[in-house]
Amino acid sequence: MRQSFMALLDSFGGDAASAISKYSTGTRLTAARRTLYREGEPVTEFAQLLEGWAFRFKLLPDGRRQILSIVLPGEPIALHTLWTDDLSFSVQSLTGLELRLFDRRALIDQMRSDGSLAFRLGEAVARELMLSESRLISLGQRTALERVARLILYLHARLKQRDLVEGETFPFPLRQQHIADALGMTPVHVSRVFSELRGAQLVDRVGASLAILDYARLVEVAGP
Amino acid sequence: MRQSFMALLDSFGGDAASAISKYSTGTRLTAARRTLYREGEPVTEFAQLLEGWAFRFKLLPDGRRQILSIVLPGEPIALHTLWTDDLSFSVQSLTGLELRLFDRRALIDQMRSDGSLAFRLGEAVARELMLSESRLISLGQRTALERVARLILYLHARLKQRDLVEGETFPFPLRQQHIADALGMTPVHVSRVFSELRGAQLVDRVGASLAILDYARLVEVAGP
DNA sequence: CGAGTACTTGAGACGCCTCAAAAAGGGTGG
DNA sequence: CCACCCTTTTTGAGGCGTCTCAAGTACTCG
């Protein structure tokens, strides 16, 4: 039951993360609500999130925004920028961040000569692809209620893995606009769905945190 | 204008394809409408499509189906199965297929020792990820009409690249049910959208082929 | 405490869905 | 080469889920 939400986690587990640690060039702090990278810019660095939440997104010329992924503590901002020189998306911070920076050039050069490193990073990208495809299923097939429930369960599982869940409560810096843009809904409807989940005593918002009150029933709501 | 639909193509161009050619173990023919691989099975082989169309999909327990990608001639069925031992999706043929098979084990072993190979295959997976994310934008933000128009333009661009477009007409073995399952719609609505495109003289169905009658206006319909 | 931001709630509209039945294709065997 | 059957597509009618617009309420932070 809890399994399905754990299956795809840890796309950048100890293995890949430790393999690149020697290429770290230091860390950087960033404030909340900053645009870290902008679509179309050349990729100049490779970064892993140590603290805080960020998200990757793409803006359509008419203003529509799709959030591609939410980046949680421990995760690389976007692994696949190791293979491309132009950014195809933008990145914003939700909270204050601490980033670990890497020497991107050196990492790329090393990959070319070190099959084991390139393989492990390729594996992590392959996992990202599977995650992206599971989001595709949500957007293509699931109802708004299912999508919201799954997003909550996914975040919970990811954070639990990093030991960032207390009881069943975890920090939740997303505005409803973010959830809307991640799940292809309007903020108004996100609000109604949250009301429904709250009314059914499945979750609760406590300040900037979210509590899962009934895990089993939330999984049911999340659908097959 | 035509650019935007070309940008993400060729995820398995000459580079990666030729790098692995020496691991080919031969070819295999498969009939139309066969299930080649089933979700949950162990991955036993790695294959590239030489001829014909196939698609990767995932079935939810209640019968909903999401098509994850359509595999066209020249493309690997699923590159990221080089990094995982369990299939997270199923694959069916749309037409008769010719597959080139590879020695998956040898390829993986070689990647671990040959950084250049692992890097190039990683690059191809990174491109797949970008493609998957562009589908995410379609499903999350675009209207049914835009999605269908973009799918047509995407297939057209991919096939043109392989020189499989005559004039602006190309083979089109997809049933409307497939389009529906790829784009998160019902077949009934796909039919109505196609009527609209046909009525506006943008495309036409000729037997099992599709013709683009007015490329520029189809691009407009495809949205920003 | 005030001002801005986020959230909630209501009412009405619209896009897409469901169900159903008819029409059009497309193979196949006689 | 036609007649038949099965699959696919089309069309219609009505319903539901989600959107839009708008106004009111509740936070949050300086």
Side-chain angles (χ1 to χ4, degrees):
Chain A
M1 208 93 248
R2 196 159 286 218
Q3 244 52 15
S4 61
F5 293 97
M6 308 291 282
L8 285 171
L9 302 180
D10 211 352
S11 73
F12 195 63
D15 209 36
S18 66
I20 66 169
S21 61
K22 65 164 81 87
Y23 297 94
S24 173
T25 58
T27 64
R28 183 171 65 218
L29 299 177
T30 304
R33 280 151 228 247
R34 285 282 190 295
T35 299
L36 307 186
Y37 307 109
R38 216 173 298 269
E39 181 177 356
E41 284 176 349
V43 181
T44 56
E45 59 185 35
F46 177 70
Q48 175 190 15
L49 202 48
L50 294 181
E51 285 283 335
W53 291 35
F55 64 96
R56 297 191 303 116
F57 65 100
K58 212 161 165 163
L59 236 36
L60 299 187
D62 65 355
R64 287 179 275 183
R65 178 175 76 170
Q66 177 66 39
I67 292 184
L68 301 170
S69 70
I70 295 164
V71 188
L72 301 181
E75 301 177 345
I77 300 285
L79 215 37
H80 61 289
T81 58
L82 285 175
W83 282 273
T84 180
D85 290 330
D86 292 288
L87 223 49
S88 59
F89 52 83
S90 305
V91 181
Q92 275 184 20
S93 58
L94 285 160
T95 66
L97 304 183
E98 183 182 3
L99 295 171
R100 176 177 297 288
L101 301 176
F102 295 89
D103 183 340
R104 179 171 176 272
R105 267 282 130 238
L107 207 45
I108 291 173
D109 289 343
Q110 182 63 15
M111 269 202 283
R112 288 188 195 275
S113 62
D114 179 353
S116 160
L117 177 66
F119 185 82
R120 274 183 288 189
L121 291 174
E123 183 175 21
V125 179
R127 286 224 191 83
E128 288 283 335
L129 176 54
M130 288 193 269
L131 278 171
S132 171
E133 293 192 334
S134 80
R135 283 175 214 127
L136 216 71
I137 296 171
S138 273
L139 293 190
Q141 303 300 325
R142 299 191 191 282
T143 65
L145 183 62
E146 290 174 333
R147 289 182 224 177
V148 171
R150 293 187 88 83
L151 176 62
I152 293 169
L153 288 167
Y154 171 72
L155 293 171
H156 172 263
R158 271 299 285 110
L159 292 170
K160 190 145 203 162
Q161 192 179 228
R162 301 271 175 181
D163 214 27
L164 296 169
V165 178
E166 290 228 7
E168 298 295 9
T169 300
F170 54 91
F172 198 82
L174 296 172
R175 312 287 101 221
Q176 296 190 347
Q177 180 73 61
H178 296 121
I179 299 172
D181 290 343
L183 302 183
M185 315 166 45
T186 56
V188 173
H189 198 58
V190 172
S191 170
R192 294 194 219 270
V193 169
F194 259 99
S195 297
E196 193 175 341
L197 291 174
R198 231 182 296 107
Q201 309 270 42
L202 300 180
V203 304
D204 199 15
R205 306 267 250 88
V206 189
S209 289
L210 192 138
I212 296 183
L213 303 179
D214 191 332
Y215 189 91
R217 276 172 56 227
L218 188 57
V219 168
E220 298 230 328
V221 166
Chain B
M1 207 93 251
R2 197 161 286 220
Q3 245 52 14
S4 60
F5 293 97
M6 308 290 282
L8 284 172
L9 303 180
D10 211 353
S11 73
F12 195 63
D15 209 36
S18 67
I20 65 169
S21 61
K22 66 164 81 88
Y23 297 94
S24 173
T25 59
T27 63
R28 183 171 66 219
L29 299 177
T30 304
R33 279 152 230 247
R34 284 283 190 297
T35 299
L36 307 185
Y37 307 109
R38 216 173 299 268
E39 182 177 356
E41 285 176 348
V43 180
T44 56
E45 60 185 34
F46 177 69
Q48 175 190 15
L49 202 48
L50 295 180
E51 285 282 335
W53 292 35
F55 64 97
R56 298 192 302 117
F57 64 99
K58 212 162 164 161
L59 236 35
L60 298 187
D62 65 355
R64 288 179 275 182
R65 177 175 77 170
Q66 177 66 38
I67 291 184
L68 301 170
S69 71
I70 295 164
V71 188
L72 301 180
E75 300 176 347
I77 300 285
L79 215 36
H80 61 289
T81 57
L82 286 174
W83 282 274
T84 181
D85 290 331
D86 292 288
L87 224 47
S88 58
F89 51 82
S90 305
V91 181
Q92 275 185 20
S93 58
L94 285 161
T95 65
L97 303 183
E98 185 182 2
L99 295 171
R100 176 176 296 289
L101 301 175
F102 295 89
D103 184 340
R104 178 170 176 272
R105 267 282 130 239
L107 207 44
I108 291 172
D109 289 343
Q110 182 62 16
M111 270 202 282
R112 287 188 196 276
S113 62
D114 178 353
S116 160
L117 177 67
F119 185 82
R120 276 183 286 188
L121 291 174
E123 183 175 21
V125 179
R127 287 223 190 83
E128 289 283 335
L129 176 55
M130 287 194 269
L131 278 171
S132 171
E133 294 191 335
S134 80
R135 283 175 214 125
L136 215 70
I137 297 172
S138 272
L139 292 190
Q141 303 301 325
R142 300 190 190 282
T143 65
L145 183 62
E146 291 174 331
R147 288 182 226 177
V148 171
R150 294 186 89 83
L151 176 61
I152 293 170
L153 287 167
Y154 171 72
L155 293 171
H156 172 262
R158 270 298 285 110
L159 292 171
K160 189 146 203 162
Q161 192 180 228
R162 301 271 176 181
D163 213 28
L164 296 170
V165 179
E166 290 226 9
E168 299 295 11
T169 300
F170 54 91
F172 198 82
L174 296 172
R175 312 286 101 222
Q176 296 189 349
Q177 180 72 62
H178 297 121
I179 299 173
D181 290 344
L183 302 182
M185 315 165 45
T186 56
V188 173
H189 198 56
V190 171
S191 170
R192 295 194 218 271
V193 169
F194 259 99
S195 297
E196 194 175 340
L197 291 174
R198 232 182 297 106
Q201 309 269 41
L202 300 180
V203 304
D204 198 16
R205 305 268 249 86
V206 189
S209 290
L210 191 138
I212 296 184
L213 303 179
D214 191 332
Y215 189 91
R217 278 173 55 226
L218 188 57
V219 169
E220 297 230 327
V221 166

